[in-house]
């Protein structure tokens, strides 16, 4: 079986329900990255996101036969499973979740992968890395209902219909939550960017 566009997710789910292990492998290859990104933005921890992905696909093995095409496309079915695991994790361990603190030697203090430390544009690369970190933290600081919708619609670029299927709410609710989430996120980012950076780092990218 090839992982081609001609093999539809619906077909793969039916085959998975019949015990086809290769169908599971293809579904995992297609969908584990967006599920991981969603879980990471929702939990703020790589290990938590990995746990969500693992548990979600284990659940898919058990529940493939429960898929109902009338309730949305297979990705929505998968995201719905992942969302349930995220919510259980947040309820159980929420106080331990969140992005690690930044600072000297911290996970977010080093250049992002692929950055050339001695490149002429190193200070610009540092600024982009800092912006990415600010966005992740600002998204994570949103209340859960707003974090979900901005992750799905803006970060994963889903349309309102798919997001509504995952969140089990009307499309109008997705629109209103997204508008509110964008307002809140913009305010948080403005506040973060208003904090001055040390002059030496602004000028050279070094201390």
């Amino acid at each position: 079986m090839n992982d081609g566009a001609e093999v539809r997710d619906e077909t793969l789910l039916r085959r998975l329900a019949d015990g086809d292990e290769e169908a599971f492998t293809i579904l995992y290859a297609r969908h584990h990255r967006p599920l991981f990104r969603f879980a990471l933005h929702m939990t703020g921890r790589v290990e938590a996101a990995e746990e969500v992905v693992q548990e979600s696909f284990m659940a898919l093995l058990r529940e493939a036969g429960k898929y109902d095409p009338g309730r949305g496309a297979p990705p929505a079915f998968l995201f719905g499973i992942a969302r349930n695991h995220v919510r259980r994790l947040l309820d159980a361990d929420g106080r331990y979740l969140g992005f690690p603190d930044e600072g000297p030697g911290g996970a977010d203090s080093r250049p992002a992968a692929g950055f050339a430390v001695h490149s002429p544009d190193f200070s610009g690369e540092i600024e982009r890395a800092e912006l990415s970190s600010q966005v992740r933290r600002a998204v994570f600081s949103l209340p859960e209902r707003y974090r979900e919708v901005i992750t799905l619609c803006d970060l994963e670029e889903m349309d309102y219909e798919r997001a509504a299927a995952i969140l089990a709410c009307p499309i109008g609710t997705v629109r209103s939550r997204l508008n509110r989430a964008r307002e809140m996120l913009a305010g948080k980012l403005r506040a973060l960017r208003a904090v001055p950076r040390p002059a030496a780092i602004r000028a050279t990218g070094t201390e």
Side-chain angles (χ1 to χ4, degrees), residues 32-53 56 79 82-83 85-86 89-90 97-100 107-108 132 135-141 147-148 151-152 155-156:
H32 79 276
R33 290 185 180 87
L35 288 183
F36 175 84
R37 290 192 300 266
F38 169 74
L40 180 61
H41 281 290
M42 292 301 299
T43 66
R45 294 280 181 178
V46 169
E47 60 271 24
E50 290 173 343
E51 178 182 337
V52 167
V53 172
S56 296
F79 268 95
R83 181 183 181 231
H85 283 288
V86 164
L89 193 61
L90 291 175
L97 300 178
F99 286 99
D108 291 323
S132 176
V135 171
R136 290 197 305 269
R137 292 171 182 277
V139 169
F140 184 76
S141 70
R147 199 185 329 155
E148 287 180 330
T151 297
L152 294 174
L155 302 181
E156 290 302 314

mmCIF file of all heavy atoms in Angstrom, residues 32-53 56 79 82-83 85-86 89-90 97-100 107-108 132 135-141 147-148 151-152 155-156:
data_model
loop_
_atom_site.group_PDB
_atom_site.id
_atom_site.type_symbol
_atom_site.label_atom_id
_atom_site.label_comp_id
_atom_site.label_asym_id
_atom_site.label_seq_id
_atom_site.Cartn_x
_atom_site.Cartn_y
_atom_site.Cartn_z
ATOM 1 N N HIS A 32 0.625 12.659 12.534
ATOM 2 C CA HIS A 32 1.197 12.823 13.868
ATOM 3 C C HIS A 32 1.818 14.198 14.076
ATOM 4 O O HIS A 32 1.791 14.727 15.188
ATOM 5 C CB HIS A 32 2.219 11.713 14.176
ATOM 6 C CG HIS A 32 3.563 11.898 13.560
ATOM 7 N ND1 HIS A 32 3.860 11.521 12.268
ATOM 8 C CD2 HIS A 32 4.715 12.417 14.065
ATOM 9 C CE1 HIS A 32 5.120 11.794 12.004
ATOM 10 N NE2 HIS A 32 5.667 12.341 13.072
ATOM 11 N N ARG A 33 2.338 14.824 13.031
ATOM 12 C CA ARG A 33 2.966 16.138 13.214
ATOM 13 C C ARG A 33 1.963 17.222 13.594
ATOM 14 O O ARG A 33 2.197 17.953 14.562
ATOM 15 C CB ARG A 33 3.756 16.521 11.959
ATOM 16 C CG ARG A 33 5.011 15.695 11.749
ATOM 17 C CD ARG A 33 5.815 16.198 10.550
ATOM 18 N NE ARG A 33 7.017 15.405 10.362
ATOM 19 C CZ ARG A 33 7.083 14.279 9.654
ATOM 20 N NH1 ARG A 33 5.981 13.822 9.072
ATOM 21 N NH2 ARG A 33 8.206 13.613 9.529
ATOM 22 N N PRO A 34 0.853 17.375 12.858
ATOM 23 C CA PRO A 34 -0.110 18.398 13.301
ATOM 24 C C PRO A 34 -0.703 18.100 14.676
ATOM 25 O O PRO A 34 -0.963 19.028 15.448
ATOM 26 C CB PRO A 34 -1.189 18.384 12.205
ATOM 27 C CG PRO A 34 -0.972 17.145 11.427
ATOM 28 C CD PRO A 34 0.480 16.823 11.538
ATOM 29 N N LEU A 35 -0.899 16.825 15.011
ATOM 30 C CA LEU A 35 -1.393 16.499 16.352
ATOM 31 C C LEU A 35 -0.368 16.902 17.405
ATOM 32 O O LEU A 35 -0.721 17.428 18.462
ATOM 33 C CB LEU A 35 -1.696 15.006 16.469
ATOM 34 C CG LEU A 35 -2.925 14.460 15.736
ATOM 35 C CD1 LEU A 35 -3.084 12.979 16.056
ATOM 36 C CD2 LEU A 35 -4.174 15.224 16.102
ATOM 37 N N PHE A 36 0.908 16.668 17.111
ATOM 38 C CA PHE A 36 1.960 17.042 18.057
ATOM 39 C C PHE A 36 1.994 18.558 18.246
ATOM 40 O O PHE A 36 2.099 19.048 19.376
ATOM 41 C CB PHE A 36 3.312 16.542 17.559
ATOM 42 C CG PHE A 36 4.462 16.990 18.423
ATOM 43 C CD1 PHE A 36 4.794 16.280 19.571
ATOM 44 C CD2 PHE A 36 5.193 18.121 18.099
ATOM 45 C CE1 PHE A 36 5.847 16.703 20.377
ATOM 46 C CE2 PHE A 36 6.243 18.543 18.896
ATOM 47 C CZ PHE A 36 6.579 17.829 20.042
ATOM 48 N N ARG A 37 1.909 19.316 17.149
ATOM 49 C CA ARG A 37 1.934 20.782 17.264
ATOM 50 C C ARG A 37 0.760 21.279 18.092
ATOM 51 O O ARG A 37 0.910 22.160 18.943
ATOM 52 C CB ARG A 37 1.926 21.425 15.868
ATOM 53 C CG ARG A 37 3.207 21.241 15.088
ATOM 54 C CD ARG A 37 3.248 22.140 13.866
ATOM 55 N NE ARG A 37 2.149 21.889 12.947
ATOM 56 C CZ ARG A 37 2.222 21.063 11.907
ATOM 57 N NH1 ARG A 37 3.337 20.393 11.664
ATOM 58 N NH2 ARG A 37 1.194 20.898 11.100
ATOM 59 N N PHE A 38 -0.421 20.720 17.843
ATOM 60 C CA PHE A 38 -1.591 21.102 18.613
ATOM 61 C C PHE A 38 -1.378 20.825 20.094
ATOM 62 O O PHE A 38 -1.604 21.687 20.953
ATOM 63 C CB PHE A 38 -2.818 20.336 18.099
ATOM 64 C CG PHE A 38 -4.035 20.450 18.980
ATOM 65 C CD1 PHE A 38 -4.766 21.619 19.015
ATOM 66 C CD2 PHE A 38 -4.439 19.377 19.760
ATOM 67 C CE1 PHE A 38 -5.892 21.732 19.834
ATOM 68 C CE2 PHE A 38 -5.558 19.475 20.568
ATOM 69 C CZ PHE A 38 -6.279 20.659 20.610
ATOM 70 N N ALA A 39 -0.908 19.620 20.401
ATOM 71 C CA ALA A 39 -0.704 19.248 21.799
ATOM 72 C C ALA A 39 0.378 20.088 22.445
ATOM 73 O O ALA A 39 0.279 20.443 23.631
ATOM 74 C CB ALA A 39 -0.353 17.765 21.889
ATOM 75 N N LEU A 40 1.414 20.445 21.688
ATOM 76 C CA LEU A 40 2.487 21.261 22.246
ATOM 77 C C LEU A 40 1.984 22.654 22.602
ATOM 78 O O LEU A 40 2.288 23.189 23.669
ATOM 79 C CB LEU A 40 3.646 21.357 21.254
ATOM 80 C CG LEU A 40 4.843 22.192 21.719
ATOM 81 C CD1 LEU A 40 5.459 21.604 22.984
ATOM 82 C CD2 LEU A 40 5.891 22.281 20.607
ATOM 83 N N HIS A 41 1.200 23.259 21.726
ATOM 84 C CA HIS A 41 0.661 24.591 22.020
ATOM 85 C C HIS A 41 -0.332 24.542 23.173
ATOM 86 O O HIS A 41 -0.464 25.515 23.916
ATOM 87 C CB HIS A 41 0.003 25.181 20.780
ATOM 88 C CG HIS A 41 0.985 25.753 19.807
ATOM 89 N ND1 HIS A 41 1.708 26.901 20.059
ATOM 90 C CD2 HIS A 41 1.384 25.331 18.582
ATOM 91 C CE1 HIS A 41 2.504 27.161 19.037
ATOM 92 N NE2 HIS A 41 2.322 26.235 18.126
ATOM 93 N N MET A 42 -1.015 23.429 23.327
ATOM 94 C CA MET A 42 -1.998 23.333 24.397
ATOM 95 C C MET A 42 -1.364 23.024 25.753
ATOM 96 O O MET A 42 -1.848 23.478 26.787
ATOM 97 C CB MET A 42 -3.028 22.253 24.066
ATOM 98 C CG MET A 42 -3.936 22.600 22.887
ATOM 99 S SD MET A 42 -4.880 24.127 23.156
ATOM 100 C CE MET A 42 -5.837 23.691 24.612
ATOM 101 N N THR A 43 -0.269 22.242 25.762
ATOM 102 C CA THR A 43 0.333 21.831 27.030
ATOM 103 C C THR A 43 1.614 22.570 27.364
ATOM 104 O O THR A 43 1.978 22.681 28.528
ATOM 105 C CB THR A 43 0.658 20.324 27.019
ATOM 106 O OG1 THR A 43 1.681 20.059 26.045
ATOM 107 C CG2 THR A 43 -0.578 19.501 26.697
ATOM 108 N N GLY A 44 2.321 23.054 26.343
ATOM 109 C CA GLY A 44 3.570 23.776 26.581
ATOM 110 C C GLY A 44 4.760 22.890 26.867
ATOM 111 O O GLY A 44 5.840 23.394 27.168
ATOM 112 N N ARG A 45 4.627 21.576 26.755
ATOM 113 C CA ARG A 45 5.725 20.664 27.057
ATOM 114 C C ARG A 45 5.857 19.614 25.961
ATOM 115 O O ARG A 45 4.874 18.973 25.587
ATOM 116 C CB ARG A 45 5.489 19.945 28.387
ATOM 117 C CG ARG A 45 5.507 20.853 29.586
ATOM 118 C CD ARG A 45 6.929 21.175 30.016
ATOM 119 N NE ARG A 45 6.939 22.030 31.187
ATOM 120 C CZ ARG A 45 8.051 22.426 31.800
ATOM 121 N NH1 ARG A 45 9.218 22.053 31.351
ATOM 122 N NH2 ARG A 45 7.988 23.205 32.867
ATOM 123 N N VAL A 46 7.102 19.425 25.500
ATOM 124 C CA VAL A 46 7.342 18.425 24.464
ATOM 125 C C VAL A 46 6.938 17.042 24.946
ATOM 126 O O VAL A 46 6.275 16.288 24.230
ATOM 127 C CB VAL A 46 8.829 18.441 24.041
ATOM 128 C CG1 VAL A 46 9.159 17.236 23.157
ATOM 129 C CG2 VAL A 46 9.157 19.736 23.310
ATOM 130 N N GLU A 47 7.332 16.693 26.178
ATOM 131 C CA GLU A 47 7.028 15.344 26.662
ATOM 132 C C GLU A 47 5.525 15.129 26.806
ATOM 133 O O GLU A 47 5.018 14.022 26.569
ATOM 134 C CB GLU A 47 7.742 15.063 27.988
ATOM 135 C CG GLU A 47 7.384 16.004 29.125
ATOM 136 C CD GLU A 47 8.256 17.239 29.206
ATOM 137 O OE1 GLU A 47 8.841 17.623 28.167
ATOM 138 O OE2 GLU A 47 8.352 17.807 30.312
ATOM 139 N N ALA A 48 4.801 16.180 27.187
ATOM 140 C CA ALA A 48 3.348 16.064 27.286
ATOM 141 C C ALA A 48 2.725 15.909 25.903
ATOM 142 O O ALA A 48 1.792 15.108 25.707
ATOM 143 C CB ALA A 48 2.766 17.286 27.999
ATOM 144 N N ALA A 49 3.233 16.663 24.924
ATOM 145 C CA ALA A 49 2.717 16.559 23.558
ATOM 146 C C ALA A 49 2.980 15.173 22.988
ATOM 147 O O ALA A 49 2.121 14.585 22.309
ATOM 148 C CB ALA A 49 3.354 17.630 22.678
ATOM 149 N N GLU A 50 4.165 14.637 23.262
ATOM 150 C CA GLU A 50 4.472 13.284 22.798
ATOM 151 C C GLU A 50 3.529 12.262 23.426
ATOM 152 O O GLU A 50 3.088 11.318 22.766
ATOM 153 C CB GLU A 50 5.925 12.942 23.136
ATOM 154 C CG GLU A 50 6.937 13.720 22.306
ATOM 155 C CD GLU A 50 8.367 13.500 22.776
ATOM 156 O OE1 GLU A 50 8.540 13.009 23.916
ATOM 157 O OE2 GLU A 50 9.294 13.831 22.020
ATOM 158 N N GLU A 51 3.227 12.456 24.703
ATOM 159 C CA GLU A 51 2.297 11.542 25.379
ATOM 160 C C GLU A 51 0.910 11.620 24.753
ATOM 161 O O GLU A 51 0.252 10.593 24.554
ATOM 162 C CB GLU A 51 2.219 11.893 26.862
ATOM 163 C CG GLU A 51 1.246 11.031 27.644
ATOM 164 C CD GLU A 51 1.149 11.424 29.112
ATOM 165 O OE1 GLU A 51 2.104 12.045 29.627
ATOM 166 O OE2 GLU A 51 0.110 11.120 29.731
ATOM 167 N N VAL A 52 0.465 12.833 24.432
ATOM 168 C CA VAL A 52 -0.852 13.002 23.815
ATOM 169 C C VAL A 52 -0.902 12.285 22.471
ATOM 170 O O VAL A 52 -1.874 11.578 22.156
ATOM 171 C CB VAL A 52 -1.189 14.498 23.639
ATOM 172 C CG1 VAL A 52 -2.405 14.677 22.724
ATOM 173 C CG2 VAL A 52 -1.449 15.136 24.993
ATOM 174 N N VAL A 53 0.147 12.454 21.649
ATOM 175 C CA VAL A 53 0.173 11.799 20.336
ATOM 176 C C VAL A 53 0.146 10.279 20.504
ATOM 177 O O VAL A 53 -0.622 9.582 19.824
ATOM 178 C CB VAL A 53 1.412 12.241 19.535
ATOM 179 C CG1 VAL A 53 1.544 11.412 18.251
ATOM 180 C CG2 VAL A 53 1.316 13.721 19.182
ATOM 181 N N SER A 56 -3.244 9.178 21.699
ATOM 182 C CA SER A 56 -4.267 9.390 20.667
ATOM 183 C C SER A 56 -4.243 8.281 19.633
ATOM 184 O O SER A 56 -5.294 7.765 19.219
ATOM 185 C CB SER A 56 -4.056 10.750 19.988
ATOM 186 O OG SER A 56 -4.230 11.804 20.910
ATOM 187 N N PHE A 79 -8.184 14.691 15.756
ATOM 188 C CA PHE A 79 -7.986 15.851 16.617
ATOM 189 C C PHE A 79 -8.942 15.804 17.812
ATOM 190 O O PHE A 79 -8.600 16.254 18.901
ATOM 191 C CB PHE A 79 -8.187 17.147 15.835
ATOM 192 C CG PHE A 79 -6.914 17.695 15.249
ATOM 193 C CD1 PHE A 79 -6.559 17.400 13.950
ATOM 194 C CD2 PHE A 79 -6.085 18.517 15.995
ATOM 195 C CE1 PHE A 79 -5.386 17.899 13.403
ATOM 196 C CE2 PHE A 79 -4.912 19.027 15.464
ATOM 197 C CZ PHE A 79 -4.564 18.713 14.154
ATOM 198 N N ALA A 82 -7.317 13.578 20.287
ATOM 199 C CA ALA A 82 -6.183 14.278 20.903
ATOM 200 C C ALA A 82 -6.666 15.351 21.870
ATOM 201 O O ALA A 82 -6.087 15.528 22.956
ATOM 202 C CB ALA A 82 -5.307 14.901 19.820
ATOM 203 N N ARG A 83 -7.714 16.057 21.498
ATOM 204 C CA ARG A 83 -8.243 17.103 22.379
ATOM 205 C C ARG A 83 -8.712 16.508 23.703
ATOM 206 O O ARG A 83 -8.482 17.095 24.768
ATOM 207 C CB ARG A 83 -9.393 17.817 21.678
ATOM 208 C CG ARG A 83 -10.010 18.947 22.505
ATOM 209 C CD ARG A 83 -11.195 19.547 21.772
ATOM 210 N NE ARG A 83 -11.771 20.633 22.527
ATOM 211 C CZ ARG A 83 -13.056 20.734 22.815
ATOM 212 N NH1 ARG A 83 -13.918 19.795 22.423
ATOM 213 N NH2 ARG A 83 -13.522 21.768 23.491
ATOM 214 N N HIS A 85 -7.545 13.884 25.180
ATOM 215 C CA HIS A 85 -6.366 13.541 25.973
ATOM 216 C C HIS A 85 -5.701 14.795 26.537
ATOM 217 O O HIS A 85 -5.231 14.793 27.681
ATOM 218 C CB HIS A 85 -5.375 12.743 25.124
ATOM 219 C CG HIS A 85 -5.769 11.309 24.935
ATOM 220 N ND1 HIS A 85 -5.703 10.378 25.947
ATOM 221 C CD2 HIS A 85 -6.252 10.650 23.857
ATOM 222 C CE1 HIS A 85 -6.118 9.203 25.498
ATOM 223 N NE2 HIS A 85 -6.461 9.348 24.234
ATOM 224 N N VAL A 86 -5.658 15.861 25.747
ATOM 225 C CA VAL A 86 -5.089 17.122 26.238
ATOM 226 C C VAL A 86 -5.876 17.621 27.441
ATOM 227 O O VAL A 86 -5.293 18.019 28.467
ATOM 228 C CB VAL A 86 -5.083 18.189 25.123
ATOM 229 C CG1 VAL A 86 -4.867 19.584 25.710
ATOM 230 C CG2 VAL A 86 -3.997 17.893 24.100
ATOM 231 N N LEU A 89 -5.149 15.638 30.489
ATOM 232 C CA LEU A 89 -3.813 15.940 30.989
ATOM 233 C C LEU A 89 -3.792 17.285 31.707
ATOM 234 O O LEU A 89 -3.191 17.424 32.777
ATOM 235 C CB LEU A 89 -2.825 15.945 29.822
ATOM 236 C CG LEU A 89 -1.339 15.929 30.165
ATOM 237 C CD1 LEU A 89 -0.989 14.673 30.941
ATOM 238 C CD2 LEU A 89 -0.512 16.011 28.893
ATOM 239 N N LEU A 90 -4.460 18.278 31.150
ATOM 240 C CA LEU A 90 -4.507 19.590 31.787
ATOM 241 C C LEU A 90 -5.262 19.524 33.111
ATOM 242 O O LEU A 90 -4.876 20.179 34.088
ATOM 243 C CB LEU A 90 -5.164 20.604 30.858
ATOM 244 C CG LEU A 90 -4.371 20.991 29.606
ATOM 245 C CD1 LEU A 90 -5.196 21.900 28.708
ATOM 246 C CD2 LEU A 90 -3.060 21.673 29.979
ATOM 247 N N LEU A 97 2.361 22.000 33.786
ATOM 248 C CA LEU A 97 2.545 22.214 32.364
ATOM 249 C C LEU A 97 2.857 23.680 32.084
ATOM 250 O O LEU A 97 2.598 24.557 32.886
ATOM 251 C CB LEU A 97 1.302 21.775 31.594
ATOM 252 C CG LEU A 97 0.940 20.294 31.759
ATOM 253 C CD1 LEU A 97 -0.340 19.979 30.992
ATOM 254 C CD2 LEU A 97 2.069 19.398 31.278
ATOM 255 N N GLY A 98 3.393 23.917 30.888
ATOM 256 C CA GLY A 98 3.774 25.267 30.504
ATOM 257 C C GLY A 98 5.175 25.250 29.946
ATOM 258 O O GLY A 98 5.964 24.357 30.215
ATOM 259 N N PHE A 99 5.503 26.251 29.105
ATOM 260 C CA PHE A 99 6.825 26.286 28.515
ATOM 261 C C PHE A 99 7.879 26.522 29.580
ATOM 262 O O PHE A 99 7.679 27.325 30.487
ATOM 263 C CB PHE A 99 6.897 27.392 27.448
ATOM 264 C CG PHE A 99 6.161 27.018 26.199
ATOM 265 C CD1 PHE A 99 4.882 27.481 25.965
ATOM 266 C CD2 PHE A 99 6.749 26.196 25.260
ATOM 267 C CE1 PHE A 99 4.198 27.136 24.821
ATOM 268 C CE2 PHE A 99 6.071 25.838 24.111
ATOM 269 C CZ PHE A 99 4.790 26.314 23.890
ATOM 270 N N PRO A 100 9.040 25.834 29.493
ATOM 271 C CA PRO A 100 10.106 26.048 30.465
ATOM 272 C C PRO A 100 10.528 27.501 30.502
ATOM 273 O O PRO A 100 10.434 28.214 29.506
ATOM 274 C CB PRO A 100 11.243 25.151 29.940
ATOM 275 C CG PRO A 100 10.573 24.161 29.051
ATOM 276 C CD PRO A 100 9.390 24.868 28.457
ATOM 277 N N ALA A 107 16.211 26.080 27.746
ATOM 278 C CA ALA A 107 15.935 25.486 26.444
ATOM 279 C C ALA A 107 15.675 26.531 25.392
ATOM 280 O O ALA A 107 15.976 26.332 24.221
ATOM 281 C CB ALA A 107 14.740 24.531 26.553
ATOM 282 N N ASP A 108 15.104 27.682 25.769
ATOM 283 C CA ASP A 108 14.765 28.692 24.786
ATOM 284 C C ASP A 108 15.845 29.754 24.632
ATOM 285 O O ASP A 108 15.667 30.708 23.894
ATOM 286 C CB ASP A 108 13.450 29.382 25.171
ATOM 287 C CG ASP A 108 12.271 28.448 25.023
ATOM 288 O OD1 ASP A 108 12.283 27.666 24.074
ATOM 289 O OD2 ASP A 108 11.357 28.500 25.857
ATOM 290 N N SER A 132 9.339 34.004 17.963
ATOM 291 C CA SER A 132 8.676 32.704 17.972
ATOM 292 C C SER A 132 8.408 32.249 19.398
ATOM 293 O O SER A 132 7.335 31.735 19.705
ATOM 294 C CB SER A 132 9.555 31.686 17.241
ATOM 295 O OG SER A 132 8.981 30.407 17.304
ATOM 296 N N VAL A 135 5.503 34.216 20.847
ATOM 297 C CA VAL A 135 4.204 33.778 20.336
ATOM 298 C C VAL A 135 3.772 32.494 21.040
ATOM 299 O O VAL A 135 2.623 32.367 21.473
ATOM 300 C CB VAL A 135 4.253 33.571 18.809
ATOM 301 C CG1 VAL A 135 2.975 32.899 18.312
ATOM 302 C CG2 VAL A 135 4.454 34.904 18.101
ATOM 303 N N ARG A 136 4.693 31.529 21.179
ATOM 304 C CA ARG A 136 4.346 30.269 21.855
ATOM 305 C C ARG A 136 3.854 30.538 23.276
ATOM 306 O O ARG A 136 2.853 29.979 23.719
ATOM 307 C CB ARG A 136 5.566 29.341 21.893
ATOM 308 C CG ARG A 136 5.961 28.766 20.552
ATOM 309 C CD ARG A 136 6.876 27.568 20.736
ATOM 310 N NE ARG A 136 8.057 27.875 21.532
ATOM 311 C CZ ARG A 136 9.214 28.293 21.025
ATOM 312 N NH1 ARG A 136 9.327 28.484 19.727
ATOM 313 N NH2 ARG A 136 10.253 28.518 21.825
ATOM 314 N N ARG A 137 4.579 31.385 23.986
ATOM 315 C CA ARG A 137 4.217 31.658 25.366
ATOM 316 C C ARG A 137 2.912 32.441 25.463
ATOM 317 O O ARG A 137 2.105 32.217 26.361
ATOM 318 C CB ARG A 137 5.359 32.397 26.073
ATOM 319 C CG ARG A 137 6.580 31.534 26.260
ATOM 320 C CD ARG A 137 7.783 32.326 26.764
ATOM 321 N NE ARG A 137 8.933 31.443 26.868
ATOM 322 C CZ ARG A 137 9.175 30.641 27.900
ATOM 323 N NH1 ARG A 137 8.351 30.632 28.931
ATOM 324 N NH2 ARG A 137 10.233 29.858 27.919
ATOM 325 N N ALA A 138 2.736 33.380 24.541
ATOM 326 C CA ALA A 138 1.501 34.165 24.564
ATOM 327 C C ALA A 138 0.294 33.285 24.260
ATOM 328 O O ALA A 138 -0.755 33.411 24.900
ATOM 329 C CB ALA A 138 1.591 35.319 23.568
ATOM 330 N N VAL A 139 0.434 32.378 23.298
ATOM 331 C CA VAL A 139 -0.660 31.451 22.986
ATOM 332 C C VAL A 139 -0.964 30.579 24.192
ATOM 333 O O VAL A 139 -2.129 30.387 24.562
ATOM 334 C CB VAL A 139 -0.311 30.585 21.755
ATOM 335 C CG1 VAL A 139 -1.322 29.444 21.596
ATOM 336 C CG2 VAL A 139 -0.295 31.436 20.494
ATOM 337 N N PHE A 140 0.081 30.060 24.835
ATOM 338 C CA PHE A 140 -0.141 29.169 25.971
ATOM 339 C C PHE A 140 -0.807 29.896 27.136
ATOM 340 O O PHE A 140 -1.518 29.277 27.939
ATOM 341 C CB PHE A 140 1.179 28.553 26.437
ATOM 342 C CG PHE A 140 0.992 27.545 27.538
ATOM 343 C CD1 PHE A 140 0.503 26.279 27.261
ATOM 344 C CD2 PHE A 140 1.259 27.873 28.858
ATOM 345 C CE1 PHE A 140 0.289 25.355 28.261
ATOM 346 C CE2 PHE A 140 1.050 26.958 29.877
ATOM 347 C CZ PHE A 140 0.565 25.697 29.577
ATOM 348 N N SER A 141 -0.598 31.200 27.247
ATOM 349 C CA SER A 141 -1.178 31.946 28.364
ATOM 350 C C SER A 141 -2.666 32.219 28.186
ATOM 351 O O SER A 141 -3.333 32.670 29.122
ATOM 352 C CB SER A 141 -0.430 33.275 28.551
ATOM 353 O OG SER A 141 -0.709 34.168 27.488
ATOM 354 N N ARG A 147 -7.159 29.218 23.424
ATOM 355 C CA ARG A 147 -5.926 28.578 22.965
ATOM 356 C C ARG A 147 -6.251 27.526 21.907
ATOM 357 O O ARG A 147 -5.555 27.388 20.903
ATOM 358 C CB ARG A 147 -5.237 27.936 24.159
ATOM 359 C CG ARG A 147 -3.760 27.636 23.934
ATOM 360 C CD ARG A 147 -3.159 26.887 25.114
ATOM 361 N NE ARG A 147 -3.772 27.225 26.376
ATOM 362 C CZ ARG A 147 -3.789 26.434 27.435
ATOM 363 N NH1 ARG A 147 -3.202 25.239 27.379
ATOM 364 N NH2 ARG A 147 -4.368 26.795 28.560
ATOM 365 N N GLU A 148 -7.322 26.753 22.140
ATOM 366 C CA GLU A 148 -7.711 25.726 21.178
ATOM 367 C C GLU A 148 -8.020 26.318 19.818
ATOM 368 O O GLU A 148 -7.514 25.860 18.795
ATOM 369 C CB GLU A 148 -8.951 24.987 21.686
ATOM 370 C CG GLU A 148 -8.736 24.041 22.823
ATOM 371 C CD GLU A 148 -10.017 23.368 23.248
ATOM 372 O OE1 GLU A 148 -11.101 23.962 23.103
ATOM 373 O OE2 GLU A 148 -9.918 22.230 23.737
ATOM 374 N N THR A 151 -5.035 27.919 17.965
ATOM 375 C CA THR A 151 -4.107 26.885 17.511
ATOM 376 C C THR A 151 -4.639 26.204 16.259
ATOM 377 O O THR A 151 -3.914 26.010 15.276
ATOM 378 C CB THR A 151 -3.869 25.847 18.612
ATOM 379 O OG1 THR A 151 -3.248 26.483 19.734
ATOM 380 C CG2 THR A 151 -2.950 24.724 18.123
ATOM 381 N N LEU A 152 -5.918 25.852 16.264
ATOM 382 C CA LEU A 152 -6.501 25.152 15.120
ATOM 383 C C LEU A 152 -6.633 26.057 13.902
ATOM 384 O O LEU A 152 -6.234 25.674 12.791
ATOM 385 C CB LEU A 152 -7.872 24.588 15.496
ATOM 386 C CG LEU A 152 -7.877 23.490 16.558
ATOM 387 C CD1 LEU A 152 -9.308 23.127 16.936
ATOM 388 C CD2 LEU A 152 -7.124 22.260 16.083
ATOM 389 N N LEU A 155 -2.747 28.676 13.689
ATOM 390 C CA LEU A 155 -1.475 27.974 13.621
ATOM 391 C C LEU A 155 -1.540 26.751 12.714
ATOM 392 O O LEU A 155 -0.601 26.477 11.974
ATOM 393 C CB LEU A 155 -1.022 27.577 15.026
ATOM 394 C CG LEU A 155 -0.867 28.745 16.004
ATOM 395 C CD1 LEU A 155 -0.390 28.250 17.364
ATOM 396 C CD2 LEU A 155 0.097 29.800 15.467
ATOM 397 N N GLU A 156 -2.663 26.023 12.748
ATOM 398 C CA GLU A 156 -2.835 24.863 11.866
ATOM 399 C C GLU A 156 -3.616 25.214 10.597
ATOM 400 O O GLU A 156 -3.789 24.361 9.729
ATOM 401 C CB GLU A 156 -3.533 23.732 12.616
ATOM 402 C CG GLU A 156 -2.680 23.086 13.690
ATOM 403 C CD GLU A 156 -1.379 22.519 13.158
ATOM 404 O OE1 GLU A 156 -1.415 21.845 12.112
ATOM 405 O OE2 GLU A 156 -0.324 22.751 13.772
#
